[in-house]
């Protein structure tokens, strides 16, 4: 079996996040970080050492945290509000709606250890609803980078962008997919490889698994297009329509419930503009059992082999 | 059981918890050590619960709101007979029902699924209100961390409990002065707790949360003030019972290495004799 990431080193994207934050913080003193007793888990120790007064730790109080972020934005600051994704998005959802989305404040929401990164800590600590929750709100680009370089580029974009956004980061190690000079364009899918038989669309920790599945399918003579869809909203509808037209079948993979996430966002475009058979992989609307982060992805049918098998099954439905 | 026997049992429970964290390679050992005396006293002295009938409508209720210390609860529930003692060794293993946070759907004796901080007390207010509506005299106990008291939901519940005169509700704050990443005083110092809670209409008692006599006395129904919810501010140490962990912020969720494990076990076994 050819594994494109056989000897690849795995990287924790949180490091890329804080490296960039510390760098842009040097030149732009309006950059501040807000957190909820999560200096360690958000890897903000370095930022705190460099800019002690610009790290605002409100304690274990997420609603307050997001409100404080909105107030800081009002005062001209550029707050990166960082917390474990379930507590940021779930606990403070109404603050995100009214104070960030509706008020259009320049708040960067950074969901740390999202998806099922917390593994055995269980469903209270998993954040597999956040695409659906935040995607339902206007004005907030929803972004799930796939490797450290895309993470760094997305953070640089966020720091320069005037307006809110939601960056969904993991803590689970991923191999490099992009080069260090990768440019992040919000709302643009990146075609990692072209192919004609079907398209796999993924983001976050699933993109490299999609690439591995594509390598397996290639051995079986199936040519796969792989799209990294980092931005879930606004979604790259043109890339989806082109994929549907040119490859005729689409598999989506996400570390999220299949209710309302990436697969749903893609399906919305497909039914509106270019109907083709689809298969949406993700967590099938259940709370996860006890297992590690990567084992959960495997258990929910998102090992490279299982993704390839789902793709094979989908091809049979292709007209 | 006498207070001395309860103390020894609590230290045996600590040792079992320590082994669980060591073998699983994960857990929240600091807060588990700090809450263990309180949990042991509740299950082996104060509360009326029956492992053979875990959903008896007249049972006393416990909500471990600081759900990250689930293993401490599992160890005490096993010791009490709610789950098999051998099952503790499945903690965090694939498909185990002993997840990093407790699940009432799977584990008898667990009342509600905690993990996100600041959920337990509102649920406790609902339980205690329900008991009053039913005319029942069972009691509700909620344990929160002190860092957890930074969550605003707790203070909403504190006001409601006073308004509803819930003298059947007892909140125990595990006041170990440390949260996840730092000391409370360096983060968001909620002190002084006692006058705050009194101003909110609660009857408040301060105790040494590692002194069994004081814990049992404070939990006794004789100390209830009619018409007022009760808060026990339990002064504890994170990592209590293990010298190098005690009052040390590094041990919120660190896992001991082999040498540290052996030393910790020795100290706890000594204290259980
Ligand atoms: C809503 C929410 N925010 C953040 C966390 C992450 N977290 C888990 S434990 C913890 C620290 C808790 O400190 P404390 O309440 O003092 O507990 P103890 O010292 O007894 O462990 C934090 C911040 C969480 N579980 N829930
Ligand atoms: Mg504490």
């Amino acid at each position: 079996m050819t594994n494109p990431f056989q000897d690849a080193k795995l990287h924790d994207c949180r490091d890329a996040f804080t490296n960039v934050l510390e760098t842009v913080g040097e030149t732009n003193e309006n950059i501040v970080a807000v957190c909820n007793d999560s200096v360690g888990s958000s890897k903000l120790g370095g930022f705190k050492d460099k800019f002690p007064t610009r790290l605002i730790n409100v304690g274990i109080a997420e609603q307050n945290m997001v409100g404080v972020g909105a107030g800081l934005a009002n005062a001209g600051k550029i707050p990166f509000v960082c917390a474990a994704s379930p507590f940021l998005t779930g606990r403070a959802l109404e603050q995100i709606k009214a104070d960030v989305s509706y008020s259009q404040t320049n708040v960067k929401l950074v969901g740390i250890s999202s998806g099922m990164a917390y593994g055995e800590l269980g469903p209270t600590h998993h954040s597999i609803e956040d695409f659906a929750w935040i995607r339902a709100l206007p004005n907030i680009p929803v972004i799930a980078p796939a490797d450290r370089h895309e993470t760094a580029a997305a953070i640089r974009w966020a720091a320069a962008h005037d307006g809110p956004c939601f960056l969904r980061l993991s803590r689970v190690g991923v191999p490099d997919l992009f080069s260090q000079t990768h440019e992040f364009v919000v709302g643009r899918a990146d075609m990692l490889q072209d192919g004609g038989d079907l398209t796999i669309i993924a983001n976050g920790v699933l993109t490299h698994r999609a690439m591995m599945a594509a390598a397996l399918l290639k051995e079986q003579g199936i040519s796969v297009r792989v799209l990294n869809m980092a931005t879930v909203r606004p979604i790259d509808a043109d890339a989806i329509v082109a994929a549907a037209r040119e490859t005729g079948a689409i598999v989506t993979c996400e570390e999220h419930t299949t209710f309302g996430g990436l697969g749903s966002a893609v399906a919305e475009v497909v039914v509106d503009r270019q109907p083709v058979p689809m298969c949406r992989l993700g967590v099938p609307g259940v709370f996860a059992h006890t297992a590690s982060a990567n084992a959960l992805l495997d258990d929910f049918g998102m090992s490279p082999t299982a993704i390839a098998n789902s793709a094979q099954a989908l091809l049979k439905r292709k007209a | 059981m006498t207070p001395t026997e309860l103390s020894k049992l609590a230290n045996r429970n600590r040792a079992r918890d320590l082994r669980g964290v060591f073998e699983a390679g994960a857990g929240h050992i600091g807060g588990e050590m700090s809450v263990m005396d309180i949990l042991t006293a509740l299950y082996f002295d104060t509360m009326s619960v029956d492992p053979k009938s875990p959903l008896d409508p007249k049972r006393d209720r416990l909500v471990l709101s600081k759900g990250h210390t689930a293993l401490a609860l599992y160890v005490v529930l096993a010791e009490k007979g709610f789950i098999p003692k051998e099952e503790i060794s499945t903690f965090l293993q694939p498909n185990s029902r002993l997840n990093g946070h407790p699940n009432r759907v799977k584990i008898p004796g667990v009342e509600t699924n905690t993990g996100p901080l600041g959920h337990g007390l509102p649920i406790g207010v609902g339980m205690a209100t329900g008991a009053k509506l039913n005319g029942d005299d069972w009691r509700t106990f909620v344990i929160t961390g002190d860092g957890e008291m930074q969550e605003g939901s707790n203070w909403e519940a504190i006001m409601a409990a006073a308004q509803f005169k819930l003298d059947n509700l007892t909140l125990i704050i595990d006041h170990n002065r440390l949260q996840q990443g730092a000391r409370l005083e360096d983060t968001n110092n909620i002190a002084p707790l006692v006058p705050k809670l009194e101003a909110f209409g609660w009857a408040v008692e301060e105790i040494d949360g590692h002194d069994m006599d004081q814990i049992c006395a404070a939990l006794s129904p004789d100390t209830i003030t009619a018409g007022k919810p009760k808060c026990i501010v339990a002064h504890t140490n994170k990592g209590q019972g293990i010298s190098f962990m005690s009052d040390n912020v590094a041990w919120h969720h660190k896992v001991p290495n082999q040498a540290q494990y052996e030393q910790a076990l020795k100290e706890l076994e000594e204290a259980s004799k």
Side-chain angles (χ1 to χ4, degrees):
Chain A
M1 168 189 159
T2 43
N3 174 357
F5 306 108
Q6 191 89 48
D7 305 309
K9 230 182 131 207
L10 304 182
H11 301 277
D12 179 340
C13 293
R14 293 178 299 174
D15 294 318
F17 156 54
T18 46
N19 283 343
V20 173
L21 198 68
E22 288 169 35
T23 311
V24 294
E26 300 269 1
T27 49
N28 187 343
E29 63 179 28
N30 283 326
I31 303 260
V32 297
V34 189
C35 72
N36 64 333
D37 188 20
S38 56
V39 176
S41 54
S42 302
K43 298 223 174 196
L44 289 168
F47 189 89
K48 187 182 176 193
D49 290 343
K50 282 198 167 130
F51 317 110
T53 58
R54 287 156 58 188
L55 186 273
I56 296 136
N57 180 358
V58 299
I60 310 168
E62 294 75 19
Q63 299 179 50
N64 186 33
M65 173 182 68
V66 173
V68 166
L72 284 161
N74 174 284
K77 297 295 163 194
I78 304 171
F80 279 74
V81 176
C82 313
S85 202
F87 311 131
L88 171 68
T89 60
R91 188 57 158 274
L93 187 55
E94 194 180 78
Q95 276 76 14
I96 293 175
K97 175 183 167 184
D99 313 347
V100 178
S101 165
Y102 188 35
S103 302
Q104 296 190 41
T105 44
N106 192 17
V107 175
K108 321 300 172 184
L109 303 163
V110 186
I112 306 281
S113 306
S114 60
M116 297 182 290
Y118 274 122
E120 299 89 342
L121 291 187
T124 57
H125 283 54
H126 295 167
S127 195
I128 56 167
E129 307 85 7
D130 48 13
F131 282 156
W133 288 343
I134 310 300
R135 189 171 83 86
L137 300 173
N139 304 322
I140 307 185
V142 175
I143 300 156
D147 76 352
R148 59 180 175 151
H149 298 312
E150 192 179 29
T151 302
I155 301 296
R156 279 192 292 271
W157 169 83
H161 168 71
D162 183 20
C165 62
F166 170 49
L167 295 144
R168 186 194 200 241
L169 308 185
S170 185
R171 63 161 62 202
V172 176
V174 285
D176 288 346
L177 293 161
F178 294 101
S179 76
Q180 209 168 345
T181 54
H182 176 68
E183 189 202 348
F184 174 79
V185 179
V186 71
R188 187 190 74 191
D190 286 294
M191 194 191 293
L192 299 183
Q193 69 172 54
D194 200 1
D197 295 327
L198 81 137
T199 301
I200 305 181
I201 301 179
N203 64 17
V205 299
L206 261 307
T207 300
H208 75 279
R209 285 176 177 247
M211 290 292 283
M212 288 159 81
L216 291 175
L217 288 161
K218 189 176 174 198
E219 286 172 4
Q220 296 155 31
I222 297 163
S223 146
V224 179
R225 178 179 299 185
V226 178
L227 291 181
N228 178 54
M229 192 68 74
T231 315
V232 177
R233 176 178 177 165
I235 198 136
D236 189 342
D238 291 343
I240 296 167
V241 171
R245 190 178 295 129
E246 292 157 20
T247 73
I250 296 175
V251 178
T252 58
C253 311
E254 61 191 308
E255 194 187 24
H256 190 275
T257 167
T258 51
F259 291 73
L262 173 66
S264 303
V266 171
E268 288 160 13
V269 175
V270 168
V271 291
D272 282 354
R273 293 183 48 188
Q274 188 75 28
V276 291
M278 275 190 70
C279 166
R280 295 179 298 116
L281 301 176
V283 181
V286 296
F287 288 116
H289 51 279
T290 306
S292 71
N294 279 317
L296 283 169
L297 292 177
D298 293 345
D299 292 350
F300 287 123
M302 290 181 282
S303 66
T305 310
I307 295 171
N309 290 343
S310 293
Q312 287 273 22
L314 181 67
L315 281 179
K316 299 207 177 79
R317 289 172 44 211
K318 204 174 141 179
Chain B
M1 257 188 244
T2 66
T4 314
E5 288 164 343
L6 283 168
S7 264
K8 288 182 180 169
L9 174 58
N11 283 319
R12 284 202 299 282
N13 290 341
R14 282 193 174 92
R16 187 64 194 88
D17 185 292
L18 166 77
R19 197 181 120 202
V21 169
F22 179 67
E23 288 174 356
H28 289 83
I29 194 151
E32 282 156 13
M33 297 301 122
S34 75
V35 80
M36 196 60 96
D37 291 306
I38 295 160
L39 275 179
T40 304
L42 279 165
Y43 277 91
F44 290 88
D45 190 66
T46 314
M47 292 203 305
S48 164
V49 288
D50 179 2
K52 286 192 222 71
S53 180
L55 291 176
D56 180 345
K58 307 284 186 203
R59 70 193 183 279
D60 288 336
R61 268 56 165 194
L62 169 79
V63 177
L64 181 66
S65 192
K66 39 174 274 184
H68 56 286
T69 57
L71 182 54
L73 181 62
Y74 300 152
V75 166
V76 172
L77 286 176
E79 190 63 37
K80 189 77 183 174
F82 282 92
I83 55 173
K85 284 189 191 174
E86 315 80 70
E87 198 179 338
I88 298 297
S89 57
T90 72
F91 177 58
L92 302 186
Q93 296 309 304
N95 295 306
S96 170
R97 59 180 173 165
L98 304 187
N99 193 270
H101 294 87
N103 187 340
R104 70 175 285 274
V105 183
K106 297 184 177 171
I107 308 164
V110 173
E111 297 288 351
T112 189
N113 299 8
T114 50
L117 297 166
H119 282 237
L121 193 57
I123 298 166
V125 168
M127 290 170 167
T129 303
K132 293 256 181 208
L133 288 172
N134 294 340
D136 288 341
D137 58 7
W138 50 267
R139 298 174 66 193
T140 299
F141 301 89
V142 177
I143 304 175
T144 61
D146 50 2
E148 182 181 3
M149 293 307 292
Q150 293 160 350
E151 288 284 3
S153 52
N154 285 315
W155 297 92
E156 297 175 21
I158 283 167
M159 291 186 280
Q163 175 73 25
F164 303 156
K165 302 188 178 14
L166 297 180
D167 50 13
N168 54 350
L169 173 66
T170 302
L171 164 65
I172 304 137
I173 302 177
D174 182 359
H175 195 8
N176 57 28
R177 304 173 303 284
L178 303 178
Q179 49 194 104
Q180 180 166 282
R183 305 188 80 80
L184 265 75
E185 62 182 354
D186 298 328
T187 309
N188 179 342
N189 195 353
I190 52 170
L193 268 176
V194 176
K196 264 183 198 156
L197 280 147
E198 281 172 350
F200 276 73
W202 284 54
V204 189
E205 189 175 344
E206 272 184 289
I207 62 164
D208 173 347
H210 300 308
D211 179 320
M212 272 300 171
D213 287 298
Q214 291 188 33
I215 298 171
C216 294
L219 289 170
S220 147
D222 306 338
T223 61
I224 288 172
T225 308
K228 281 192 175 192
K230 171 163 185 171
C231 176
I232 300 171
V233 177
H235 293 281
T236 56
N237 292 310
K238 214 154 169 166
Q240 169 73 12
I242 303 171
S243 54
F244 60 93
M245 289 189 195
S246 186
D247 199 36
N248 181 344
V249 72
W251 287 96
H252 176 70
H253 57 195
K254 210 168 118 162
V255 178
N257 63 29
Q258 183 75 37
Q260 289 167 327
Y261 171 64
E262 280 163 20
Q263 188 195 331
L265 195 62
K266 216 170 95 200
E267 291 183 19
L268 291 173
E269 279 171 352
E270 199 55 43
S272 337
K273 278 186 194 149

